[in-house]
Amino acid sequence: MPQQFLVSLMPPTCAIITATALSKQRNKIVGAPDHDHSIHKHPQVKLFKYLAPPLIAAVFALSPFSMSDISVSPHVALGQTLDAQKSGTLFRRACIGCHDGGGNVIQPGATLFLKDLQRNGVDTEDEIYRVTYFGKGRMPGFGENCTPRGQCTFGPRLQEDEIKLLAEFVKSQADQNWPTIENNGD
């Protein structure tokens, strides 16, 4: 009886397995001798392997969600995810002292929010890179070859690829109005 219930729940797009065919297949898997006349040592495992795929298909077919509801972007690569994590770590290490949450504790009119970036002419990744590398106003430069010396940080310098990641990160955060940055223990 439960086999007939399972068959009746299957949508019309699935192949219909009759109760008799299912019963014959179960007998073959669980207890009937196979072609070398030996009884299977683990009939439950073989039964599970046989029934699992159609049951999983039935669950997905009957679920209220469609595949379009699942937000997986095939265009996001692992490298992009790692770059996003690295850029967040770089920002917390080098920038958050003055720019916590996109603000600016030194110069309030020079925040990293999009409206201030636009007003100050620093609203592209290239301009953010330039200011981060060479500095501007009270903002010190962090580039390895930053000059003049008085405009550059006295702290550790950043490599060009790190500054590029930071520029992408700042632009992305500004475009999203600086959502909360998660601290991953770094």
Side-chain angles (χ1 to χ4, degrees):
M1 217 36 135
Q3 295 165 346
Q4 291 171 344
F5 178 70
L6 177 63
V7 171
S8 69
L9 283 178
M10 296 179 85
T13 58
C14 295
I16 298 178
I17 302 172
T18 65
T20 308
L22 191 59
S23 182
K24 285 181 184 178
Q25 191 66 19
R26 184 193 176 283
N27 288 340
K28 180 180 173 187
I29 293 170
V30 174
D34 59 11
H35 62 282
D36 68 353
H37 305 293
S38 64
I39 302 294
H40 300 289
K41 292 183 181 179
H42 302 287
Q44 295 86 0
V45 172
K46 193 165 183 183
L47 179 64
F48 176 76
K49 285 181 179 181
Y50 173 74
L51 291 178
L55 287 175
I56 290 171
V59 166
F60 278 115
L62 297 172
S63 76
F65 302 104
S66 69
M67 287 307 288
S68 63
D69 294 332
I70 300 173
S71 61
V72 175
S73 174
H75 305 291
V76 176
L78 177 61
Q80 290 172 316
T81 303
L82 294 175
D83 284 350
Q85 291 173 346
K86 183 177 180 182
S87 58
T89 299
L90 280 169
F91 186 84
R92 284 187 294 278
R93 187 182 82 207
C95 311
I96 206 161
C98 296
H99 295 288
D100 189 17
N104 189 330
V105 298
I106 306 295
Q107 193 171 351
T111 71
L112 301 179
F113 285 94
L114 192 56
K115 64 178 176 48
D116 283 342
L117 291 174
Q118 289 170 339
R119 188 183 69 244
N120 294 319
V122 190
D123 57 337
T124 66
E125 285 181 23
D126 290 339
E127 284 299 312
I128 295 168
Y129 176 92
R130 187 185 59 72
V131 169
T132 306
Y133 196 96
F134 294 107
K136 179 180 179 182
R138 292 182 182 170
M139 163 89 179
F142 286 86
E144 292 177 305
N145 298 315
C146 175
T147 57
R149 185 175 168 175
Q151 183 62 49
C152 306
T153 184
F154 294 106
R157 302 290 178 94
L158 300 173
Q159 297 173 2
E160 289 183 25
D161 62 324
E162 292 175 318
I163 295 175
K164 185 176 184 319
L165 283 174
L166 278 174
E168 292 170 1
F169 178 79
V170 168
K171 176 65 173 148
S172 171
Q173 292 293 104
D175 288 343
Q176 300 174 54
N177 202 30
W178 283 88
T180 304
I181 303 171
E182 292 181 23
N183 185 352
N184 298 325
D186 40 49

